[in-house]
Structures are given as C-alpha cells and as structure tokens.
Amino acid sequence: TRVQGNSGCYKKFPYDGEFLYSFRIEAALQKSDESLEELRALKNLQKILKPLWRKYGEPCCYSVLLLADGDKMGELLDKATTIEAHQTITLALSNFASSVETIMRTFNGHRIYAGGDDVLGFVPLHQAYECAKALAENFKGSLEGIAQQLGAQNPPTLSVGLAITHVNTPLGYIRSLAQRAEKFAKGDHIKEVGDQRNALGITLAVRSGSTTDMRLRWDDEKAHQAFYNWGQYYLQGSLTSRIAYDTRDVYLRTNFLVDDTEYALLKDIRAAEFKRMLMHAQTSTGRSIPAELITQLESRLNSLKGYDSLNELAVELIIARWLSAKTQRDLGRI
C-alpha cells in the first residue's frame, strides 16, 4: 500500500491488511482477471495464514467508527464576554484537538478529523470503549478550568458515538450509523433535560441481523463499572453470549401489555424468570456461572428503571460481548 500518514506507523509493514481475512483472499482468488503471478502469491499467502487462523483465530471482521461532539459549548461561549476569554476557550479546544491523534493511536485507532470539539476516527473493536472514555475525559479536563473561571453552570462535556459495523459495509452507511450513535448519545429522545448529553452512544449493526442502540452517561460510574465487568467476564469465559440472548428471550416472553397497577407484578415475574435462567446458565467450559456474576447481573437489573429494563440489560450484555472481541472466534459465526 502507498498509504502514508499517522506519523509513519505503517513503515514497518506497508501492506494492505485486507488479505488477513480469509473471505477477502477467497474473493480475490475467484476473480478471473487476476494474473497467474498474483494468483500464485495469493495462494501462497493463504497457505501461510491457514495455520495461524487455526491457532489464533481470524482477525475480527468488525470495526468501529467513532464520532464525537462537544456538549454545552454554546452556554460556555455565552459566558465569554471578553476577547481574552474567547482566546482561552479557543486555545483549550485547539489543545484538545491536537491531542486526539495521540490518544487514538494509543488505542491503535486512526484519527480522520479533529477540529475544535468535533472528532472522527476509526478504532479497533476491543479498544473502542476505552478510547471513547479517554477522549471524553481529556475533553472535559481541557475545558473544566475556563468553565469554572467563567461561572458556567454546566461545564462542557463530550458525547461520543461508536458505530460497530462489518468491514465490508459501505463507508457512507458506516458514517450514517456513527451519526445515529452520536445522536443517541446526545439523548434528545430523553424527556429529562438533565439526563441528556454527556454520554456514550453505541450502535451495533450486525451484517446478518438487526441494528441495536445503547447509551451510558459518562457520570454514571456504576453503569460503566458494570459494563466493564461484563467484558472482563466474557474474556474469562464466565459470561457467554447464550446468557445475553437468553436474557433478551426472557424479556420477549414476558412482553405483556400491562397497566400501572400490574407493572409491579410483571417486574417480579421477570426477575424470577431471569434468576431461574441464571441458575441454569453455564460458562464456556460447562460449569455453573460464578455466584458473584449472578449477584452483579441482578444488581444491575435492579438499578435500571422502566418497563424495558430487562431488554436494556440484554443489550448491554450483547454489545459488551462485541466490544471484548479480538478475533472472529470470540464472536462465533457472525
């Protein structure tokens, strides 16, 4: 490849990575216009890669496009009544934008654009969450000082959208999904104004399935700790995708139309069915799942509010599974 940039990080391996995927080699081999030399090279590469795929698993064929935008910037700018204040805000935004490339590269990502409070870039699936969190923390820290000086009641924060898509998805559609994730993070669909903005939005677009959204506010530390824990349990093999989809199945089987007087009973029924499912659930090695995991899952469910709380937990578990995947083997046959 002749791709340059990103501080020359491609110099040691200046090759297109698409042929590390078996389906890309197969597609190239089926092309009738390939030269004999190219076909021989592809077959040799395939021969070398096959034992590596068997041993380590193929690279995951899903990646993440990150799109972020600052919150409450208008309120901060309204507080700036002097040229010096505007210059300080501009400098803070410039410093943040300059730091984006380094932050994203720390997580093996690639910044496409960073200007002011706008960020766009690609990041690997298993490092996307930590990258988003680091960007949000850096943005908040960059503007916190000037916000306090100017007396802004709501200091600027960063809403981040992550679009999880297959690598063969058209870029225009990937961009639209990232915009969807960022909009979901902004939370305009939420009635309580105080709960809008300052959040992480994730849109999962499975190539052979549906599109799912989830949202976590950055200041909800317990929710983020739980979401992080799910990923760790997946890596340990204590939590499996079967549990995530069985959780959704419990929700669907109890998706009854009820009035306010019946909701408490429905909640108890769902909690009991969820508990029963967990008691029969198994780890990837066929053992019962740890008691502490059951406790954490039940605690997280109790912390979620509303009729769809069980489905929200199922979505959390499903997306945590994807964001913990390094190879295609981690996701199974998707």
Side-chain angles (χ1 to χ4, degrees), residues 64-71 96 104 117 119-121 123 128-137 139 157-163 177-187 197-203 214-218 224:
V64 176
L65 181 62
L66 181 152
L67 181 64
D69 180 61
D71 310 314
F96 166 72
M104 295 199 73
D117 61 342
V119 177
L120 178 68
V123 65
Y129 171 75
E130 293 297 337
C131 182
K133 187 177 180 180
L135 288 171
E137 291 174 349
F139 182 83
T157 54
L158 192 71
S159 287
V160 184
L162 301 177
L177 289 171
Q179 291 172 329
R180 169 174 167 162
E182 183 201 51
K183 183 178 180 181
F184 202 73
K186 291 286 186 182
R197 310 295 186 270
N198 188 30
L200 169 68
I202 304 174
T203 295
M214 68 162 282
R215 180 178 187 268
L216 295 176
R217 283 186 56 84
W218 287 122
H224 281 276

Side-chain angles (χ1 to χ4, degrees), residues 186-248:
K186 291 286 186 182
D188 290 332
H189 60 286
I190 298 174
K191 293 182 180 179
E192 294 293 332
V193 176
D195 291 335
Q196 297 175 354
R197 310 295 186 270
N198 188 30
L200 169 68
I202 304 174
T203 295
L204 168 62
V206 181
R207 200 180 189 198
S208 59
S210 60
T211 300
T212 307
D213 303 298
M214 68 162 282
R215 180 178 187 268
L216 295 176
R217 283 186 56 84
W218 287 122
D219 55 6
D220 191 345
E221 295 182 3
K222 290 184 178 180
H224 281 276
Q225 184 61 56
F227 190 65
Y228 173 81
N229 289 345
W230 309 150
Q232 294 305 302
Y233 279 120
Y234 275 120
L235 294 175
Q236 296 167 13
S238 300
L239 185 60
T240 65
S241 59
R242 175 68 181 270
I243 296 173
Y245 288 101
D246 281 353
T247 300
R248 173 171 279 177

Side-chain angles (χ1 to χ4, degrees), residues 60 62-64 123-129 164 322-325 331:
C60 183
Y62 280 76
S63 63
V64 176
V123 65
L125 192 62
H126 69 287
Q127 293 182 291
Y129 171 75
I164 305 173
W322 285 78
L323 289 180
S324 64
L331 293 175

Side-chain angles (χ1 to χ4, degrees), residues 143-179:
L143 291 160
E144 208 165 29
I146 182 61
Q148 290 177 352
Q149 291 177 25
L150 297 178
Q153 292 184 349
N154 299 299
T157 54
L158 192 71
S159 287
V160 184
L162 301 177
I164 305 173
T165 62
H166 192 277
V167 294
N168 278 357
T169 305
L171 185 56
Y173 185 54
I174 294 176
R175 177 62 189 269
S176 70
L177 289 171
Q179 291 172 329

